[in-house]
Amino acid sequence: MTGVTLTDVAQRAGVSTPTASRVLRGVATVDQQLKEKVLLAASELGYQPNRLARSLRERRTGIIGFLNVGSTAKFHTVLAQGIYDAGLENGYAVVTGMSDTTDRQQSYAQIFAGFQVDGIIVVPTSQSDPAIDRIAKHIPVVEVDRSASSVSRHSVLLDNQHAMEMAVDHLVELGHRHIALLYGVEQVNTELERVEGYLCALRKHGLPRREALMLGDDFSEAGGMRSTAKLLDSGVPVTAVLTTTNEMLAGAVQVLREREINVPEQLSLIGMDDTRWVRLMTPPVTVVEQPAYDMGKKAMELLLAAIDEKAGQHPAEIRFAPRLIVRSSTSPPPFDSL
Amino acid sequence: MTGVTLTDVAQRAGVSTPTASRVLRGVATVDQQLKEKVLLAASELGYQPNRLARSLRERRTGIIGFLNVGSTAKFHTVLAQGIYDAGLENGYAVVTGMSDTTDRQQSYAQIFAGFQVDGIIVVPTSQSDPAIDRIAKHIPVVEVDRSASSVSRHSVLLDNQHAMEMAVDHLVELGHRHIALLYGVEQVNTELERVEGYLCALRKHGLPRREALMLGDDFSEAGGMRSTAKLLDSGVPVTAVLTTTNEMLAGAVQVLREREINVPEQLSLIGMDDTRWVRLMTPPVTVVEQPAYDMGKKAMELLLAAIDEKAGQHPAEIRFAPRLIVRSSTSPPPFDSL
DNA sequence: TTGTAGGCGTTATCAA
DNA sequence: TTGATAACGCCTACAA
């Protein structure tokens, strides 16, 4: 709120307000002399355009709403960085809302709409969000990381099926045949697709689907602990464990330690996302990595494209390829396993 | 951009625009019948006030600019959550900029000013930022986590000296007398204060300051590796290592592993910030924890207070107390250590 | 209690 | 090329 207005600049330069506006925006052609006067006046006064007024007039704010989930996972942090960076590069500011609860998401949706944001990037928390649905009728919305399947929208996602397939392929190559999956029971597409990818891969390798090897729980550390305990207690033969999130992996690791089960000698382990702890663990964990930064950038770019050619182009679904990082938590299964 | 304006609502309700405004804001007294008509019309039309226009008129936007550093550390993520939450609770939206480079910080500062933000929360990257300094003359600014010492401003910080003191106290109690410090050479107050805290604690316990035990480098994983290697190569007796950040700790851990130095049998270790990997490490690491969420919340609250009573109250410096979490990476020093 | 008029700072339209 | 004039959507002041 410097208080210096365009009119102040115009007066000092001895021109009309519209002329000053034209000079400062570099639009139309203005007399060289006047131009210099205006520029001088502007810099002398330390003029800073009021984007509120400009936006009101232009009916476009240059603000993007970003509705993130309240996660401290590195993935979501880096995703956000990609979004901010791509925004900055294209002259857009990002207002962020962070929440897991639907009512708060609604609050943010309202706030975003009130601020006349030009578009919204959302990491959906549930299958469908009426507030977002309503807004999406008026302004472009891009989903990232997850997809609320109820409505078809622009989305930037990981190729989740392939991610799990890579993990299973790796294990099968090592000789594993009893591969367990720890997954989150939340109804988000990432989980559904990862489970599906696991099953596909099993089929591909001619391995049977065994319910006892598929453990669903919260995708939290506690959920990982519970499902790992359940798996071990069940007594079914198992030589490798796959998790859909590193939260569950953390839980699994703790239970394995308590029970003094050696990784990878007795049990191989694969996680999702490459984070510091996964690297520094003993042993370092083999994981599937997501290109978080690129996904964030792409989401912003897709959104900006949708804003510009607001043509009714039908929803684009962009899938990013995961990458397998092999470390020491995976090895051939023990001899005596079956 | 629903397109529905206050005037639309007023027309449909058969009243004047100001009357509709009064009803919707619940200000002044209006006839009960008219009131209902307006509310009905508003809900039928799905009216959503345009905050741009309102802000332009009221000269206050309800937007806070948050200039964060490009860190994926859990501390900064949780800090941001505290800021967003406190903003939402008080009806403020937060536009975030994330960057470590001064020129980008400048860009964001400009953007924030252009949006007429009501205030700014900044995690400073350098000792002083001219762009922020300039803005701070017009609108309230609160520093959080770090402090750019050149100018005195409202700030919400950790009691860094005390943090290191707690760590040293703990080690001394265990019997350590050769305590090394790995710190970042960047000129940010957190580092300076933590080094100072380490030295104070040594003095308090009658231990000598030994330059060979104070290793400065980047506060990165690489910096941690380099300084740890340097420390071990120097051959000076050392029984415990303290780091000012977990990035450096991660580097230290890797070097210790490579050299097969056992923690805590041969060397005790204390880090900064409680993160998942620190808990899941073998052994789990003793750390000093920062109340990140509370610090974020407090920063927002302090800023909002400064905005409201824009009285020239002189800068408040709020220090949060750290907490020592004792795990298994610290134990009495080996017998043969001097 | 309600409506009219004006203005927040900017850009778009149209004459000159 | 330049400058009046109006408008974006809202709120405040004043008059009715």
Side-chain angles (χ1 to χ4, degrees):
Chain A
M1 205 77 76
T2 58
V4 181
T5 74
L6 185 59
T7 310
D8 295 335
V9 174
Q11 277 182 354
R12 178 175 251 259
V15 301
S16 73
T17 314
T19 300
S21 172
R22 288 188 271 257
V23 172
L24 263 28
R25 279 179 302 150
V27 68
T29 42
V30 297
D31 185 79
Q32 187 61 26
Q33 277 203 321
L34 291 190
K35 189 184 250 176
E36 283 167 8
K37 275 190 182 175
V38 170
L39 291 174
L40 181 66
S43 88
E44 283 177 346
L45 262 38
Y47 171 69
Q48 178 83 31
N50 183 330
R51 290 190 67 164
L52 247 44
R54 188 195 306 234
S55 300
L56 183 61
R57 187 63 239 237
E58 289 187 335
R59 335 194 101 263
R60 111 166 234 305
T61 53
I63 306 183
I64 298 298
F66 174 37
L67 196 36
N68 199 359
V69 288
S71 148
T72 59
K74 187 187 158 200
F75 173 78
H76 287 107
T77 310
V78 176
L79 184 77
Q81 285 185 346
I83 289 172
Y84 296 141
D85 285 358
L88 184 64
E89 282 164 21
N90 293 281
Y92 280 80
V94 177
V95 18
T96 303
M98 196 178 256
S99 170
D100 291 320
T101 65
T102 309
D103 56 330
R104 277 204 166 180
Q105 289 235 5
Q106 297 239 7
S107 302
Y108 278 120
Q110 292 250 339
I111 291 173
F112 290 171
F115 277 120
Q116 318 295 114
V117 297
D118 293 333
I120 292 181
I121 297 178
V122 57
V123 181
T125 57
S126 57
Q127 284 298 71
S128 79
D129 185 328
I132 295 290
D133 289 350
R134 200 155 357 99
I135 290 180
K137 288 177 193 145
H138 306 291
I139 64 175
V141 172
V142 167
E143 295 176 331
V144 65
D145 178 34
R146 305 178 188 164
S147 167
S149 66
S150 62
V151 197
S152 173
R153 271 205 264 283
H154 292 298
S155 50
V156 174
L157 310 166
L158 184 77
D159 187 342
N160 287 302
Q161 277 208 218
H162 190 48
M164 297 315 271
E165 208 178 316
M166 292 174 82
V168 172
D169 284 354
H170 172 60
L171 291 169
V172 169
E173 265 172 41
L174 288 172
H176 291 268
R177 301 191 58 247
H178 308 286
I179 303 169
L181 176 74
L182 270 46
Y183 65 95
V185 289
E186 281 82 356
Q187 289 293 312
V188 296
N189 75 305
T190 43
E191 292 301 324
L192 303 177
E193 291 173 7
R194 285 172 195 178
V195 171
E196 187 55 33
Y198 163 82
L199 292 173
C200 274
L202 289 190
R203 270 197 300 278
K204 186 175 84 179
H205 294 289
L207 295 174
R209 164 186 182 141
R210 298 211 41 201
E211 300 304 331
L213 290 178
M214 297 175 61
L215 293 295
D217 207 310
D218 295 345
F219 51 29
S220 63
E221 213 169 299
M225 293 183 72
R226 274 192 300 269
S227 44
T228 305
K230 195 170 153 195
L231 172 65
L232 298 176
D233 290 339
S234 75
V236 294
V238 55
T239 62
V241 171
L242 208 59
T243 66
T244 56
T245 69
N246 272 354
E247 278 68 33
M248 296 192 85
L249 178 69
V253 164
Q254 288 177 72
V255 171
L256 294 180
R257 281 214 190 124
E258 280 167 20
R259 307 205 179 189
E260 298 185 346
I261 294 174
N262 290 325
V263 175
E265 294 79 4
Q266 294 172 268
L267 196 71
S268 284
L269 217 49
I270 300 190
M272 191 82 195
D273 285 341
D274 193 31
T275 55
R276 172 172 292 144
W277 77 267
V278 143
R279 253 175 43 229
L280 294 180
M281 275 275 305
T282 31
V285 182
T286 295
V287 293
V288 178
E289 192 203 9
Q290 311 188 55
Y293 186 83
D294 293 339
M295 288 172 70
K297 263 198 127 153
K298 191 68 191 181
M300 178 62 87
E301 287 161 5
L302 180 58
L303 180 62
L304 298 185
I307 289 171
D308 285 342
E309 352 140 323
K310 54 202 299 187
Q313 53 181 350
H314 72 122
E317 178 183 293
I318 298 176
R319 292 277 179 175
F320 273 73
R323 195 165 68 90
L324 182 73
I325 302 177
V326 178
R327 299 212 174 88
S328 319
S329 69
T330 44
S331 73
F335 280 122
D336 60 355
S337 67
L338 265 214
Chain B
M1 206 74 78
T2 57
V4 181
T5 74
L6 186 58
T7 310
D8 296 335
V9 174
Q11 276 182 355
R12 177 176 254 260
V15 301
S16 71
T17 315
T19 299
S21 171
R22 289 188 270 255
V23 171
L24 263 28
R25 280 179 303 147
V27 68
T29 43
V30 297
D31 184 78
Q32 187 60 26
Q33 276 203 321
L34 292 189
K35 190 186 249 174
E36 283 168 10
K37 275 191 182 177
V38 170
L39 291 174
L40 180 66
S43 87
E44 282 177 347
L45 263 38
Y47 172 69
Q48 177 83 31
N50 184 329
R51 290 190 65 162
L52 249 44
R54 180 183 301 196
S55 301
L56 184 60
R57 184 64 237 244
E58 291 187 336
R59 335 194 103 263
R60 106 166 239 306
T61 54
I63 307 184
I64 299 299
F66 174 38
L67 196 37
N68 199 359
V69 289
S71 149
T72 58
K74 187 188 157 201
F75 172 78
H76 287 108
T77 310
V78 176
L79 184 77
Q81 286 185 344
I83 288 172
Y84 296 140
D85 285 357
L88 184 63
E89 281 164 22
N90 293 280
Y92 279 80
V94 177
V95 17
T96 303
M98 197 178 254
S99 170
D100 292 320
T101 66
T102 309
D103 56 329
R104 278 204 166 181
Q105 289 234 5
Q106 297 238 7
S107 303
Y108 278 120
Q110 291 250 341
I111 291 172
F112 290 170
F115 278 120
Q116 319 293 114
V117 297
D118 294 333
I120 292 182
I121 297 177
V122 57
V123 181
T125 57
S126 56
Q127 283 299 71
S128 78
D129 185 329
I132 295 289
D133 288 349
R134 202 155 356 99
I135 290 180
K137 286 176 194 145
H138 305 292
I139 64 174
V141 172
V142 167
E143 295 176 330
V144 65
D145 177 34
R146 304 176 187 165
S147 166
S149 65
S150 63
V151 197
S152 173
R153 269 206 266 283
H154 292 297
S155 49
V156 174
L157 311 165
L158 185 76
D159 186 341
N160 287 301
Q161 278 209 216
H162 190 49
M164 298 315 270
E165 209 179 315
M166 291 173 82
V168 172
D169 285 353
H170 171 60
L171 291 169
V172 169
E173 265 172 43
L174 288 172
H176 291 269
R177 301 191 59 248
H178 307 287
I179 302 169
L181 177 73
L182 272 45
Y183 64 96
V185 289
E186 281 84 355
Q187 290 293 310
V188 294
N189 74 305
T190 43
E191 292 300 323
L192 302 177
E193 291 174 6
R194 286 172 195 179
V195 171
E196 188 55 34
Y198 162 82
L199 291 173
C200 274
L202 289 189
R203 270 199 299 279
K204 187 174 84 177
H205 293 290
L207 295 173
R209 164 184 182 143
R210 299 212 39 202
E211 299 303 328
L213 290 179
M214 298 175 60
L215 293 296
D217 207 312
D218 295 344
F219 51 29
S220 63
E221 212 170 298
M225 293 183 72
R226 275 192 299 269
S227 44
T228 304
K230 195 170 154 196
L231 171 67
L232 297 177
D233 290 340
S234 75
V236 294
V238 55
T239 62
V241 172
L242 209 57
T243 66
T244 56
T245 68
N246 272 353
E247 278 69 34
M248 296 192 85
L249 177 69
V253 164
Q254 287 176 74
V255 171
L256 296 180
R257 282 215 189 125
E258 279 168 21
R259 306 204 178 189
E260 299 184 348
I261 294 175
N262 289 325
V263 176
E265 293 79 5
Q266 296 172 268
L267 196 70
S268 284
L269 217 50
I270 300 190
M272 191 82 195
D273 285 339
D274 193 31
T275 56
R276 172 173 294 145
W277 77 268
V278 144
R279 252 175 43 227
L280 294 179
M281 276 273 307
T282 33
V285 183
T286 296
V287 294
V288 178
E289 191 203 9
Q290 312 188 55
Y293 186 84
D294 293 339
M295 288 171 70
K297 264 198 125 155
K298 191 67 191 183
M300 178 61 87
E301 287 162 4
L302 180 58
L303 179 63
L304 298 185
I307 289 171
D308 285 343
E309 353 140 324
K310 53 202 301 187
Q313 52 180 352
H314 72 121
E317 179 182 294
I318 298 176
R319 293 276 180 176
F320 273 73
R323 195 165 68 90
L324 182 73
I325 301 178
V326 177
R327 298 212 176 87
S328 319
S329 70
T330 44
S331 72
F335 280 124
D336 58 355
S337 67
L338 266 212

